[in-house]
Amino acid sequence: MSTTGKQQFNAQKVVVVGGGVIGIATAHYLIQKGFEVTVIEQKSVGSGSSFGNCGYICPSHMLPLAEPGMVKKGLVSLFNSQAPFKIKPQFRMALYRWLFQFAKRCNHNDMMEGGRHLKAILDDSRQEYESLLSNGSFEAQWKKSGLCYVMQSEGGLKTFASFSQLLSEHFNTKAQYIPGDDLPAFDPALKSGLAGGFHFQNDASLSPHELVHNWSKNLIESGLNVIENCRLTQVNKAGNRINSILTSQGEMVADYFVFATGAWSSHLASTLGCHIPVEPCKGFSVTVDRPEVCPQVPMLFTEHGVGVTPFDKTLRLGSMIEFSGFDSRIPKPRIDQLFNSASPYLRSNLSRKHEQAWCGWRPMTWDSLPIIGYVPGMKNSLLATGHNMLGMTLAPATGKMVASLVAGESTDIDSSPYSAGRF
């Protein structure tokens, strides 16, 4: 896709580097404010982490990954090849510096503070999705059926009940408790004999690939210029401004530059002159034919670290957290693990005849908050990255915040907790 939409005259120009869901969302809100926008993407639009994730839009995910007990889980993972949260030893000091900062935040107080900041932007984004997708301007398999966390054991149920109570008491986020005996009636795809579940009814889901594809197509009709297979090679700065960028398809001049480069953002740190502590975190998914008895709502099997999303014609299993750098291999045991982890919960045996395995890299920050705002010391360059495992959920709120900052307007929610200056 390389196309130029309607020409806009006398509009300030913005180049957005990165054509994932964050870049496309940013372009959307900038165009709404009258900017002339070009998105460049090193591969094809929506081909990265925006392609094969589970498509959850989940305000219920407001607690940071850095929570009490995560350091122990990371250490245990060194000796467990099937751990859903895994750290692979690497010869990269950047990873160990990141892990040190992450470990410092694995306590109750930091978890609660991070949760308050995440809740603000999660709620804002959920509201934006309602406006974007409920009017039918483009299709994305938008379903407001909630997200159900299902537990196999009584111990797992007790642990999650404490988590649900914390969300209810401190974040006013309530879930419907479903006793184990009632789960098959709630969703006939679930086996009997499970311990129970919690249904967060304000969560939603969509097809991530359809969202980015159709959203970008819709924006092109509104004037967006998209250039694919276009790799950033150099940033030309003068003082506190970027004058232009060099790409594999030539030089680009603009009034503002937004870097929505996901897991690769830390590679820009020296070029932009700021600290961007983003670590790639590998996630896996496998998409199969929709089974005869298919889940009606998206689910998370928390004890096994696996999510399930039903689409119109397929079913996707996904999740897992693996700090293994930019290793693009998809080991068969990891995909087998997704099937084996779902088996205790689902009535249907999933067919693997047409399975499509995938992996992608989430951009992880050590405090679990995204990085949104101006590059410190720069007047016309902004970052929109570090969304951890919530990029799909947080895209509209991120795009809206960036557009307001570029336009010199106040943001709907306080943008300071997400500033790159916090590092």
Side-chain angles (χ1 to χ4, degrees):
M1 186 192 304
S2 180
T3 180
T4 304
K6 303 172 186 177
Q7 294 297 316
Q8 297 180 355
F9 299 98
N10 301 319
Q12 288 190 303
K13 297 181 179 180
V14 183
V15 170
V16 178
V17 182
V21 67
I22 300 299
I24 295 303
T26 298
H28 172 93
Y29 290 94
L30 285 166
I31 288 172
Q32 278 194 340
K33 292 188 178 297
F35 291 94
E36 182 180 335
V37 184
T38 296
V39 170
I40 68 169
E41 166 56 40
Q42 63 179 343
K43 294 182 179 179
S44 57
V45 166
S47 61
S49 288
S50 300
F51 183 82
N53 64 71
C54 284
Y56 297 151
I57 307 303
C58 45
S60 62
H61 277 42
M62 80 268 301
L63 289 188
L65 181 64
E67 62 181 18
M70 289 305 291
V71 173
K72 181 180 179 180
K73 287 183 180 180
L75 293 174
V76 169
S77 79
L78 297 173
F79 309 99
N80 181 3
S81 62
Q82 293 193 335
F85 174 74
K86 187 167 184 61
I87 301 170
K88 287 192 173 182
Q90 301 161 53
F91 296 105
R92 291 193 306 112
M93 285 307 301
L95 170 64
Y96 298 107
R97 286 193 294 268
W98 189 98
L99 289 172
F100 174 72
Q101 293 293 338
F102 175 82
K104 285 171 58 178
R105 289 161 175 79
C106 290
N107 61 77
H108 180 79
N109 289 339
D110 282 335
M111 179 187 74
M112 297 298 286
E113 181 180 6
R116 286 189 288 272
H117 297 317
L118 277 173
K119 178 175 170 55
I121 193 169
L122 282 165
D123 288 348
D124 188 52
S125 215
R126 176 64 178 82
Q127 184 176 337
E128 286 299 309
Y129 265 122
E130 194 71 31
S131 301
L132 280 168
L133 298 176
S134 292
N135 62 12
S137 57
F138 57 89
E139 292 297 322
Q141 295 191 43
W142 172 242
K143 295 180 175 65
K144 297 187 288 184
S145 51
L147 178 61
C148 189
Y149 297 69
V150 182
M151 274 57 67
Q152 182 184 19
S153 71
E154 291 297 329
L157 183 66
K158 183 178 179 180
T159 298
F160 195 89
S162 298
F163 166 80
S164 180
Q165 183 177 0
L166 184 148
L167 294 189
S168 177
E169 292 179 355
H170 295 276
F171 298 95
N172 195 31
T173 298
K174 303 182 187 301
Q176 175 194 1
Y177 169 61
I178 306 170
D181 290 343
D182 295 342
L183 279 174
F186 170 78
D187 195 310
L190 290 169
K191 288 181 175 179
S192 59
L194 297 169
F198 289 83
H199 185 211
F200 287 85
Q201 296 170 303
N202 191 44
D203 286 6
S205 67
L206 47 75
S207 167
H209 172 68
E210 287 186 38
L211 173 74
V212 180
H213 176 78
N214 293 332
W215 199 355
S216 59
K217 182 179 178 181
N218 182 278
L219 290 173
I220 287 167
E221 296 174 358
S222 301
L224 174 64
N225 184 33
V226 173
I227 306 175
E228 295 183 317
N229 301 307
C230 183
R231 183 171 53 86
L232 176 67
T233 59
Q234 184 176 316
V235 174
N236 294 324
K237 296 190 296 185
N240 58 6
R241 300 184 66 84
I242 295 176
N243 291 332
S244 67
I245 59 173
L246 297 183
T247 75
S248 56
Q249 297 196 34
E251 183 177 17
M252 297 186 182
V253 178
D255 299 290
Y256 293 91
F257 297 86
V258 180
F259 298 93
T261 43
W264 289 265
S265 297
S266 61
H267 297 170
L268 293 170
S270 59
T271 299
L272 297 179
C274 69
H275 195 32
I276 309 176
V278 168
E279 269 295 315
C281 175
K282 192 176 182 181
F284 299 87
S285 76
V286 61
T287 306
V288 299
D289 294 334
R290 189 178 169 96
E292 183 177 351
V293 183
C294 186
Q296 300 301 302
V297 301
M299 302 176 185
L300 272 173
F301 305 145
T302 58
E303 292 167 276
H304 289 83
V306 171
V308 177
T309 308
F311 298 122
D312 289 347
K313 297 181 179 180
T314 59
L315 180 77
R316 180 166 293 163
L317 307 177
S319 197
M320 293 192 282
I321 302 169
E322 184 176 292
F323 287 91
S324 54
F326 286 103
D327 178 2
S328 61
R329 292 173 296 179
I330 306 178
K332 185 178 181 297
R334 273 305 208 184
I335 302 304
D336 292 343
Q337 184 178 345
L338 290 173
F339 286 99
N340 294 336
S341 296
S343 178
Y345 301 86
L346 300 180
R347 285 179 53 196
S348 292
N349 292 321
L350 302 179
S351 171
R352 301 187 63 169
K353 185 177 180 181
H354 301 120
E355 71 176 58
Q356 297 178 339
W358 172 90
C359 74
W361 294 280
R362 303 127 165 168
M364 308 293 286
T365 58
W366 58 52
D367 60 4
S368 296
L369 297 179
I371 305 171
I372 309 169
Y374 278 94
V375 174
M378 301 295 291
K379 294 290 188 182
N380 69 335
S381 59
L382 299 91
L383 291 166
T385 185
H387 291 81
N388 296 270
M389 295 177 287
L390 294 171
M392 195 61 56
T393 299
L394 294 177
T398 298
K400 185 174 67 165
M401 186 177 293
V402 169
S404 294
L405 291 170
V406 172
E409 301 170 356
S410 59
T411 54
D412 286 354
I413 61 173
D414 182 13
S415 64
S416 60
Y418 322 107
S419 167
R422 72 182 189 269
F423 304 114

